[in-house]
Amino acid sequence: METIRLTTGKGDIGRAGEIIRRGGLVAFPTETVYGLGANALDEEAVRSVYKAKDRPSDNPMIVHIADLSALDALTEGGMGSLPQTALVAAARLWPGPLTMVFRKSAAVPFATTGGLDTIAVRMPANGTARSLIRAAATPIAAPSANISGRPSPTTASDVLEDMDGRIDAVIMGERCDIGIESTVLDMTGASPIILRPGMYSREYLSKALAADIRYDSSLFFDNGNQVDPADGVSNTDFKPRSPGMKYRHYAPKAELILVEGDSDGFERKTSDLISQAESRGKKAAVLDYGDRPELAAHDFFADIRELDRQGYDLILVKALERKGQGFSVMNRMLKSAGCRVIK
Ligand code: TXA
Ligand code: MG
């Protein structure tokens, strides 16, 4: 299949909307990462997303809307049945990098939700994404536009690297502002639970929503990530509640290792490891984002894709402090590293 390159111009967005309405697949920019969009209410279209990504079909997708009124038809009982905190979150934080999980309505195919009776919904802030959803005149199911397991794409050329020839079109938009995926918040229980951390941190969300927001225990998959269970963790059964969390993710071709410690220790350890690698004829690189989680989020996926293109064998990454936004970026880095951390 030939993958059409589209611009962010009005005519091309109209064409992209038409492709989605007809059941096709279009990759598009959002403020977090590029999404691979399909009509969320069209079972066939959604199935072809799993195929294009080589994604296991029990991994549910996020459904993107442009207007709050679209929530009504997607959720069980409609907007009137949603918890107050969800309405506050929607009013304060949408459009933006926040996904909320609700009970789904019968209109949403199980193919979209990976067989679950819940649905994840997000209203993106990116102007192109919103124009596309309006042009398609339907909610758009969109996982990140990468082959399953690869780093998420934050530029249109990253999308083409994985998806050229596998999807109908790519909107050649700008580089993503944020660079890691949205915070996923489960709103189906008594209080909200973070299933996937993002740039809206637990601390920020707790304040913004005036609610006690906890991390799902599955986020502590590496066991080095613990905070006091009394402060922050929702349960201790360690079963992934967000099915996406159980798969290996974000992996570059190179071996990736996180290095934890102060600046001096980091310098010493990385120069040792680099000389060792180079003496074996390997190419090694260091990624150090200092104490800047926003910078790390913005650059990390793009950087590891670039180092792969340049043929690096080993990537050493300076670990961030695991709090606030740093906790969220470390979630991605730990997965990329397959949890390999050196002190
Ligand atoms: O920022 C984002 O959220 C990006 C852009 C494109 O919007 N999308 C994205 O989609 O990251 P994806 O498919 O790569 O990740 C979806 C995540 C997975 O971890 C999945 O398990 C979780 O959301 N999820 C989706 N529906 C869910 C549900 N009903 N219950 C629990 N988790 C759900
Ligand atoms: Mg993804």
Side-chain angles (χ1 to χ4, degrees):
M1 146 186 327
E2 195 209 335
T3 300
I4 307 164
R5 277 74 165 159
L6 296 171
T7 69
T8 56
K10 209 168 164 218
D12 273 9
I13 298 287
R15 207 171 148 198
E18 184 61 41
I19 294 173
I20 287 190
R21 224 180 7 260
R22 279 199 337 254
L25 304 186
V26 179
F28 62 98
T30 82
E31 70 276 27
T32 57
V33 301
Y34 270 73
L36 176 54
N39 182 348
L41 306 179
D42 176 343
E43 199 173 323
E44 279 296 299
V46 164
R47 287 195 195 289
S48 64
V49 174
Y50 289 108
K51 223 172 129 207
K53 277 182 62 87
D54 284 335
R55 175 176 173 125
S57 60
D58 66 342
N59 192 354
M61 292 179 201
I62 293 174
V63 176
H64 297 68
I65 59 175
D67 300 283
L68 196 56
S69 56
L71 252 190
D72 211 40
L74 298 175
T75 51
E76 185 184 68
M79 294 254 284
S81 314
L82 300 183
Q84 187 59 28
T85 319
L87 299 176
V88 173
R92 297 222 176 128
L93 302 173
W94 274 356
L98 173 70
T99 295
M100 288 190 276
V101 175
F102 305 112
R103 303 216 161 278
K104 81 171 191 73
S105 72
V108 182
F110 282 106
T112 304
T113 64
L116 299 174
D117 55 12
T118 53
I119 180 174
V121 187
R122 174 162 110 82
M123 188 193 291
N126 180 283
T128 301
R130 289 160 70 81
S131 308
L132 173 64
I133 299 162
R134 290 196 175 121
T138 181
I140 296 183
S144 49
N146 51 283
I147 300 278
S148 197
R150 298 259 300 138
S152 299
T154 54
T155 67
S157 58
D158 288 350
V159 173
L160 286 168
E161 187 174 59
D162 284 15
M163 291 295 165
D164 200 8
R166 301 172 78 107
I167 61 177
D168 296 288
V170 179
I171 299 177
M172 304 294 289
E174 68 277 30
R175 181 167 176 175
C176 301
D177 281 340
I178 294 176
I180 63 168
E181 307 84 347
S182 60
T183 306
V184 178
L185 203 53
D186 183 356
M187 304 305 284
T188 61
S191 60
I193 292 171
I194 296 176
L195 301 180
R196 180 177 71 184
M199 288 319 258
Y200 282 151
S201 66
R202 179 171 92 93
E203 294 79 350
Y204 178 83
L205 288 173
S206 298
K207 268 198 204 122
L209 308 182
D212 178 27
I213 293 175
R214 304 201 155 220
Y215 291 125
D216 189 62
S217 59
S218 65
L219 299 180
F220 302 90
F221 51 82
D222 76 318
N223 289 324
N225 226 342
Q226 292 287 2
V227 295
D228 178 357
D231 172 38
V233 186
S234 66
N235 61 338
T236 48
D237 61 6
F238 289 86
K239 256 200 241 104
R241 290 154 52 96
S242 187
M245 305 303 294
K246 74 177 180 232
Y247 298 107
R248 178 149 161 77
H249 255 130
Y250 315 124
K253 295 180 194 120
E255 180 177 13
L256 192 146
I257 302 175
L258 283 166
V259 183
E260 230 163 20
D262 60 21
S263 298
D264 284 351
F266 178 76
E267 294 285 330
R268 242 178 298 121
K269 192 75 208 175
T270 51
S271 54
D272 277 3
L273 290 169
I274 288 174
S275 344
Q276 276 172 35
E278 286 176 348
S279 71
R280 284 180 284 125
K282 305 265 183 207
K283 252 174 108 179
V286 173
L287 296 175
D288 179 357
Y289 304 106
D291 294 322
R292 299 173 65 190
E294 269 168 329
L295 174 71
H298 186 261
D299 289 351
F300 178 63
F301 288 142
D303 284 348
I304 60 180
R305 277 183 178 265
E306 179 57 30
L307 292 170
D308 269 350
R309 282 192 287 270
Q310 293 180 20
Y312 278 85
D313 304 289
L314 174 66
I315 307 173
L316 301 169
V317 184
K318 188 165 197 299
L320 298 166
E321 202 184 338
R322 298 179 194 200
K323 66 167 205 232
Q325 296 176 325
F327 179 86
S328 309
V329 180
M330 278 294 283
N331 169 275
R332 309 308 194 275
M333 289 179 165
L334 281 160
K335 292 187 164 219
S336 293
C339 292
R340 291 200 57 191
V341 184
I342 295 180
K343 307 256 176 210

